[in-house]
Amino acid sequence: MRGDDIDGFWVKSSEARGSSLPGCLSSKVKESRVRGTTQAVPSEVHYIWLHVTRDGVVESRETANRSVLLLNDWLNIVDESASLGAQWMVIHVETCLKSDSDVWRICAWAQEVHGIRVGLHLNNECMDEKGLSPILRLDRDATFVVIDRSAIEAMTFLKDKGYAVCESNIGPEDRELPCSHTESIVCAGADGVMFCCGMVVGDESYHLGDVKADTVRKAMCNHESMSPIEERSVKPGQSCDGCPPFMVQRFKEQQAID
């Protein structure tokens, strides 16, 4: 891996920007590209939806639950998804971010290496201005914050700096079922299990694959065998809040971009 670590961030060096293949692309990505013409054609990926739990992102297997992903695991998801066309990413962060959190490295990697626009879906309890200060090191035009509408006013300090802040709330009046977005989303939790979308995480009938065993390409091919998400599929406590296609639309409306 080649680059510069600036204040704890991983960002590309000018030399890395000129490279046609980022140094940390996993062997799985390379393999999927070589074998792509002989494998089933997956759905094109437009959005990455990552769910970082309170376990956060860990530094080593020795200090973590065996199922929790390491930084390189998360970066591999980004790399593989980008190779399939992903242009947007939303990270649902269920823990308070620290200045040295690997979440910032994931965001910087997505932006610097792949040109992916990044949204941070924050927990309402974790909106400390100091804790979120590393966001200022990200590309402002390619970064937005997603938060419950009740906490929008608390994000004024970011709005004042030019960052888009979008309501995460999505009600039945905003969306139609069966959902037409799931086939373009790669959704993965902190345990590495991939599902159709964040609303059905944990529902085995919408289980696409496992990051440690399957490529994103293979997981996306599994969409063909799954039923659309109907109203009856939605369980108590589940919602579409933070869904990337909706958040992207709200970001575009604020920024007036294509």
Side-chain angles (χ1 to χ4, degrees), residues 21-53:
L21 186 65
C24 90
L25 272 177
S26 69
S27 59
K28 289 194 295 183
V29 182
K30 297 174 185 177
E31 179 183 358
S32 68
R33 286 178 172 176
V34 170
R35 295 165 50 194
T37 56
T38 60
Q39 293 180 328
V41 178
S43 302
E44 183 176 4
V45 175
H46 294 157
Y47 313 98
I48 307 168
W49 198 358
L50 303 183
H51 288 243
V52 180
T53 68

CSV table of all heavy atoms in Angstrom, one decimal, residues 21-53:
chain,number,residue,atom,x,y,z
A,21,LEU,N,-4.1,1.0,-10.7
A,21,LEU,CA,-4.7,0.0,-9.8
A,21,LEU,C,-4.2,0.3,-8.4
A,21,LEU,O,-3.0,0.1,-8.1
A,21,LEU,CB,-4.3,-1.4,-10.2
A,21,LEU,CG,-5.0,-2.6,-9.5
A,21,LEU,CD1,-6.5,-2.5,-9.8
A,21,LEU,CD2,-4.4,-3.9,-9.9
A,22,PRO,N,-5.1,0.7,-7.5
A,22,PRO,CA,-4.6,1.0,-6.1
A,22,PRO,C,-3.9,-0.1,-5.5
A,22,PRO,O,-4.4,-1.3,-5.6
A,22,PRO,CB,-6.0,1.4,-5.4
A,22,PRO,CG,-6.9,1.8,-6.5
A,22,PRO,CD,-6.5,1.0,-7.7
A,23,GLY,N,-2.9,0.1,-4.7
A,23,GLY,CA,-2.1,-0.9,-4.2
A,23,GLY,C,-2.8,-1.8,-3.2
A,23,GLY,O,-2.4,-3.0,-3.0
A,24,CYS,N,-3.9,-1.4,-2.6
A,24,CYS,CA,-4.5,-2.2,-1.6
A,24,CYS,C,-5.7,-3.0,-2.2
A,24,CYS,O,-6.4,-3.6,-1.4
A,24,CYS,CB,-5.0,-1.4,-0.4
A,24,CYS,SG,-6.6,-0.7,-0.5
A,25,LEU,N,-5.9,-2.9,-3.5
A,25,LEU,CA,-7.0,-3.7,-4.0
A,25,LEU,C,-6.7,-5.2,-3.7
A,25,LEU,O,-5.7,-5.7,-3.9
A,25,LEU,CB,-7.0,-3.6,-5.6
A,25,LEU,CG,-7.8,-2.4,-6.1
A,25,LEU,CD1,-7.7,-2.4,-7.6
A,25,LEU,CD2,-9.3,-2.6,-5.8
A,26,SER,N,-7.7,-5.8,-3.1
A,26,SER,CA,-7.6,-7.2,-2.7
A,26,SER,C,-7.4,-8.1,-3.9
A,26,SER,O,-7.8,-7.8,-5.0
A,26,SER,CB,-8.8,-7.6,-1.9
A,26,SER,OG,-9.9,-7.7,-2.7
A,27,SER,N,-6.9,-9.3,-3.6
A,27,SER,CA,-6.8,-10.3,-4.6
A,27,SER,C,-8.1,-10.7,-5.1
A,27,SER,O,-8.3,-11.1,-6.3
A,27,SER,CB,-6.0,-11.5,-4.0
A,27,SER,OG,-6.7,-12.1,-2.9
A,28,LYS,N,-9.2,-10.6,-4.3
A,28,LYS,CA,-10.5,-10.9,-4.7
A,28,LYS,C,-11.0,-10.0,-5.8
A,28,LYS,O,-11.7,-10.4,-6.7
A,28,LYS,CB,-11.5,-10.9,-3.5
A,28,LYS,CG,-11.3,-12.0,-2.5
A,28,LYS,CD,-12.5,-12.1,-1.6
A,28,LYS,CE,-12.6,-10.9,-0.7
A,28,LYS,NZ,-13.7,-11.0,0.3
A,29,VAL,N,-10.6,-8.7,-5.7
A,29,VAL,CA,-11.0,-7.8,-6.8
A,29,VAL,C,-10.3,-8.2,-8.1
A,29,VAL,O,-11.0,-8.2,-9.1
A,29,VAL,CB,-10.6,-6.3,-6.4
A,29,VAL,CG1,-11.1,-5.4,-7.4
A,29,VAL,CG2,-11.2,-6.0,-5.0
A,30,LYS,N,-9.0,-8.4,-8.0
A,30,LYS,CA,-8.3,-8.8,-9.2
A,30,LYS,C,-8.9,-10.0,-9.8
A,30,LYS,O,-9.0,-10.1,-11.0
A,30,LYS,CB,-6.8,-9.0,-8.9
A,30,LYS,CG,-6.1,-7.7,-8.4
A,30,LYS,CD,-4.7,-8.0,-7.9
A,30,LYS,CE,-4.1,-6.7,-7.3
A,30,LYS,NZ,-2.7,-7.0,-6.8
A,31,GLU,N,-9.1,-11.0,-9.0
A,31,GLU,CA,-9.7,-12.3,-9.4
A,31,GLU,C,-11.0,-12.1,-10.1
A,31,GLU,O,-11.3,-12.6,-11.2
A,31,GLU,CB,-9.8,-13.3,-8.3
A,31,GLU,CG,-10.4,-14.6,-8.7
A,31,GLU,CD,-10.6,-15.5,-7.5
A,31,GLU,OE1,-10.3,-15.1,-6.4
A,31,GLU,OE2,-11.1,-16.6,-7.7
A,32,SER,N,-11.9,-11.2,-9.5
A,32,SER,CA,-13.2,-11.0,-10.1
A,32,SER,C,-13.1,-10.3,-11.4
A,32,SER,O,-13.9,-10.6,-12.3
A,32,SER,CB,-14.1,-10.2,-9.1
A,32,SER,OG,-13.6,-8.9,-9.0
A,33,ARG,N,-12.1,-9.4,-11.6
A,33,ARG,CA,-12.0,-8.8,-12.9
A,33,ARG,C,-11.5,-9.7,-14.0
A,33,ARG,O,-11.9,-9.7,-15.1
A,33,ARG,CB,-11.0,-7.6,-12.7
A,33,ARG,CG,-11.6,-6.4,-12.0
A,33,ARG,CD,-10.6,-5.3,-11.8
A,33,ARG,NE,-11.3,-4.1,-11.2
A,33,ARG,CZ,-10.6,-3.0,-10.9
A,33,ARG,NH1,-9.3,-3.0,-11.0
A,33,ARG,NH2,-11.3,-2.0,-10.4
A,34,VAL,N,-10.6,-10.6,-13.6
A,34,VAL,CA,-10.0,-11.6,-14.5
A,34,VAL,C,-11.1,-12.6,-15.0
A,34,VAL,O,-11.2,-12.9,-16.1
A,34,VAL,CB,-8.8,-12.3,-13.9
A,34,VAL,CG1,-8.4,-13.5,-14.8
A,34,VAL,CG2,-7.6,-11.4,-13.7
A,35,ARG,N,-11.9,-13.0,-14.0
A,35,ARG,CA,-12.9,-14.0,-14.3
A,35,ARG,C,-14.2,-13.5,-14.6
A,35,ARG,O,-15.2,-14.2,-14.8
A,35,ARG,CB,-13.0,-14.9,-13.0
A,35,ARG,CG,-11.8,-15.7,-12.7
A,35,ARG,CD,-11.8,-16.3,-11.3
A,35,ARG,NE,-13.1,-17.0,-11.0
A,35,ARG,CZ,-13.5,-17.3,-9.8
A,35,ARG,NH1,-12.8,-17.0,-8.8
A,35,ARG,NH2,-14.6,-18.0,-9.7
A,36,GLY,N,-14.3,-12.1,-14.7
A,36,GLY,CA,-15.6,-11.5,-14.8
A,36,GLY,C,-16.4,-11.9,-16.1
A,36,GLY,O,-17.6,-12.0,-16.1
A,37,THR,N,-15.7,-12.3,-17.1
A,37,THR,CA,-16.4,-12.6,-18.4
A,37,THR,C,-17.0,-14.0,-18.3
A,37,THR,O,-17.8,-14.3,-19.2
A,37,THR,CB,-15.4,-12.5,-19.6
A,37,THR,OG1,-14.3,-13.4,-19.3
A,37,THR,CG2,-14.9,-11.1,-19.8
A,38,THR,N,-16.5,-14.8,-17.4
A,38,THR,CA,-17.0,-16.2,-17.3
A,38,THR,C,-18.0,-16.4,-16.2
A,38,THR,O,-18.7,-17.4,-16.1
A,38,THR,CB,-15.9,-17.2,-17.1
A,38,THR,OG1,-15.2,-16.9,-15.9
A,38,THR,CG2,-14.9,-17.1,-18.3
A,39,GLN,N,-18.1,-15.4,-15.3
A,39,GLN,CA,-19.1,-15.5,-14.2
A,39,GLN,C,-20.4,-14.9,-14.6
A,39,GLN,O,-20.6,-14.2,-15.5
A,39,GLN,CB,-18.5,-14.8,-13.0
A,39,GLN,CG,-17.3,-15.5,-12.4
A,39,GLN,CD,-16.8,-14.7,-11.2
A,39,GLN,OE1,-16.9,-13.5,-11.1
A,39,GLN,NE2,-16.2,-15.4,-10.2
A,40,ALA,N,-21.4,-15.2,-13.7
A,40,ALA,CA,-22.7,-14.6,-13.9
A,40,ALA,C,-22.6,-13.1,-13.8
A,40,ALA,O,-21.7,-12.6,-13.1
A,40,ALA,CB,-23.7,-15.1,-12.9
A,41,VAL,N,-23.4,-12.4,-14.6
A,41,VAL,CA,-23.3,-10.9,-14.5
A,41,VAL,C,-24.0,-10.4,-13.3
A,41,VAL,O,-25.2,-10.6,-13.2
A,41,VAL,CB,-23.9,-10.3,-15.8
A,41,VAL,CG1,-23.8,-8.8,-15.8
A,41,VAL,CG2,-23.1,-10.8,-17.1
A,42,PRO,N,-23.4,-9.6,-12.4
A,42,PRO,CA,-24.0,-9.1,-11.2
A,42,PRO,C,-24.8,-7.9,-11.5
A,42,PRO,O,-24.6,-7.2,-12.6
A,42,PRO,CB,-22.9,-8.8,-10.3
A,42,PRO,CG,-21.8,-8.4,-11.2
A,42,PRO,CD,-21.9,-9.3,-12.5
A,43,SER,N,-25.7,-7.5,-10.6
A,43,SER,CA,-26.3,-6.2,-10.7
A,43,SER,C,-25.3,-5.1,-10.6
A,43,SER,O,-24.3,-5.2,-9.9
A,43,SER,CB,-27.4,-6.0,-9.6
A,43,SER,OG,-28.3,-7.0,-9.6
A,44,GLU,N,-25.4,-4.0,-11.4
A,44,GLU,CA,-24.5,-2.9,-11.2
A,44,GLU,C,-24.7,-2.2,-9.9
A,44,GLU,O,-25.8,-2.0,-9.4
A,44,GLU,CB,-24.7,-1.9,-12.3
A,44,GLU,CG,-23.7,-0.7,-12.3
A,44,GLU,CD,-23.8,0.2,-13.5
A,44,GLU,OE1,-24.8,0.0,-14.3
A,44,GLU,OE2,-23.0,1.1,-13.6
A,45,VAL,N,-23.6,-2.0,-9.2
A,45,VAL,CA,-23.6,-1.3,-7.9
A,45,VAL,C,-23.6,0.2,-8.1
A,45,VAL,O,-22.7,0.7,-8.8
A,45,VAL,CB,-22.4,-1.8,-7.0
A,45,VAL,CG1,-22.4,-1.0,-5.7
A,45,VAL,CG2,-22.4,-3.3,-6.8
A,46,HIS,N,-24.5,0.9,-7.5
A,46,HIS,CA,-24.5,2.3,-7.4
A,46,HIS,C,-24.2,2.9,-6.0
A,46,HIS,O,-23.6,3.9,-5.9
A,46,HIS,CB,-25.9,2.9,-7.8
A,46,HIS,CG,-26.2,2.6,-9.3
A,46,HIS,ND1,-27.5,2.6,-9.7
A,46,HIS,CD2,-25.5,2.3,-10.3
A,46,HIS,CE1,-27.5,2.3,-11.0
A,46,HIS,NE2,-26.3,2.1,-11.4
A,47,TYR,N,-24.6,2.1,-5.0
A,47,TYR,CA,-24.4,2.6,-3.6
A,47,TYR,C,-23.8,1.5,-2.7
A,47,TYR,O,-24.1,0.3,-2.8
A,47,TYR,CB,-25.8,2.9,-3.1
A,47,TYR,CG,-26.7,3.7,-4.0
A,47,TYR,CD1,-27.7,3.1,-4.8
A,47,TYR,CD2,-26.6,5.1,-4.1
A,47,TYR,CE1,-28.5,3.9,-5.6
A,47,TYR,CE2,-27.4,5.9,-4.9
A,47,TYR,CZ,-28.3,5.2,-5.7
A,47,TYR,OH,-29.1,6.0,-6.5
A,48,ILE,N,-23.0,2.0,-1.8
A,48,ILE,CA,-22.4,1.2,-0.7
A,48,ILE,C,-23.1,1.6,0.6
A,48,ILE,O,-23.2,2.8,0.9
A,48,ILE,CB,-20.9,1.3,-0.6
A,48,ILE,CG1,-20.2,1.1,-1.9
A,48,ILE,CG2,-20.3,0.4,0.5
A,48,ILE,CD1,-18.8,1.5,-2.0
A,49,TRP,N,-23.6,0.7,1.4
A,49,TRP,CA,-24.3,1.0,2.6
A,49,TRP,C,-23.6,0.2,3.7
A,49,TRP,O,-23.8,-1.0,3.9
A,49,TRP,CB,-25.8,0.7,2.5
A,49,TRP,CG,-26.6,1.3,3.5
A,49,TRP,CD1,-26.3,2.2,4.6
A,49,TRP,CD2,-28.1,1.2,3.6
A,49,TRP,NE1,-27.4,2.6,5.3
A,49,TRP,CE2,-28.5,2.0,4.7
A,49,TRP,CE3,-29.0,0.6,2.8
A,49,TRP,CZ2,-29.8,2.1,5.1
A,49,TRP,CZ3,-30.4,0.7,3.2
A,49,TRP,CH2,-30.8,1.4,4.3
A,50,LEU,N,-22.7,0.8,4.5
A,50,LEU,CA,-22.0,0.1,5.6
A,50,LEU,C,-22.6,0.5,7.0
A,50,LEU,O,-23.0,1.6,7.2
A,50,LEU,CB,-20.5,0.6,5.6
A,50,LEU,CG,-19.8,0.3,4.3
A,50,LEU,CD1,-18.3,0.7,4.5
A,50,LEU,CD2,-19.9,-1.1,3.8
A,51,HIS,N,-22.7,-0.6,7.8
A,51,HIS,CA,-23.3,-0.4,9.1
A,51,HIS,C,-22.2,-0.7,10.2
A,51,HIS,O,-21.8,-1.9,10.3
A,51,HIS,CB,-24.5,-1.3,9.3
A,51,HIS,CG,-25.7,-0.9,8.6
A,51,HIS,ND1,-26.9,-0.5,9.2
A,51,HIS,CD2,-25.9,-0.8,7.3
A,51,HIS,CE1,-27.8,-0.2,8.3
A,51,HIS,NE2,-27.2,-0.3,7.1
A,52,VAL,N,-21.7,0.3,10.8
A,52,VAL,CA,-20.6,0.2,11.8
A,52,VAL,C,-21.3,0.2,13.2
A,52,VAL,O,-21.9,1.2,13.6
A,52,VAL,CB,-19.6,1.3,11.7
A,52,VAL,CG1,-18.5,1.1,12.8
A,52,VAL,CG2,-19.0,1.4,10.3
A,53,THR,N,-21.2,-0.9,13.9
A,53,THR,CA,-21.9,-1.0,15.2
A,53,THR,C,-21.1,-0.4,16.3
A,53,THR,O,-20.0,0.2,16.1
A,53,THR,CB,-22.1,-2.5,15.5
A,53,THR,OG1,-20.9,-3.1,15.8
A,53,THR,CG2,-22.8,-3.3,14.4
